[in-house]
Amino acid sequence: METDETPKIDNLILGEIQVLLAEKRTALSSLRTGIAIFALPLSVLSVLIATSRFYRFGKVMPLLVPLLVLNLGLVVLGSWLIYISIHRLHRYDHRIRELTQKYRSIAEFVD
């Protein structure tokens, strides 16, 4: 029988911090995806502006309107992913900070 409960608690807290860090990596991944999705419409619009002298706006309007609507949707999706990811990152950092302040014995392993 073990009489010392500290290693079990430390292992449990370290396990929780590992899970939080894994969640943080996932949030960083969705942040990267959100930035990429946000940048795609900007590059498409840059190409359209750069090549605008080769087409007439009135003639290609039926093609431009759906493209602009799709770009707007991608900008909204990318912005939402970025916002959610940053919110989650702050929440995970706050929880890790709480755990390291509460359990000083494991603070040296986390930072």
Side-chain angles (χ1 to χ4, degrees):
M1 282 270 196
E2 289 185 26
T3 58
D4 191 311
E5 293 294 322
T6 307
K8 285 184 180 179
I9 292 174
D10 285 351
N11 288 337
L12 182 68
I13 300 305
L14 282 174
E16 184 175 350
I17 290 175
Q18 283 179 335
V19 169
L20 288 170
L21 290 174
E23 291 291 329
K24 189 174 176 181
R25 282 191 303 272
T26 303
L28 286 169
S29 169
S30 69
L31 178 66
R32 182 184 64 218
T33 303
I35 292 170
I37 289 174
F38 187 82
L40 180 67
L42 299 177
S43 62
V44 168
L45 290 177
S46 297
V47 169
L48 287 176
I49 291 170
T51 61
S52 63
R53 66 176 181 257
F54 299 121
Y55 60 86
R56 300 265 184 243
F57 185 72
K59 213 172 188 184
V60 294
M61 182 66 113
L63 298 174
L64 284 179
V65 171
L67 180 66
L68 293 176
V69 169
L70 179 65
N71 283 345
L72 178 66
L74 288 174
V75 165
V76 169
L77 176 64
S79 300
W80 180 75
L81 282 173
I82 291 169
Y83 173 77
I84 293 297
S85 299
I86 290 173
H87 178 70
R88 287 180 181 166
L89 285 171
H90 286 300
R91 188 176 48 176
Y92 298 142
D93 284 339
H94 180 70
R95 180 66 181 144
I96 290 171
R97 197 174 311 112
E98 282 178 352
L99 288 172
T100 54
Q101 287 174 355
K102 186 175 180 181
Y103 301 100
R104 295 282 183 192
S105 63
I106 60 169
E108 65 186 80
F109 300 113
V110 176
D111 290 331

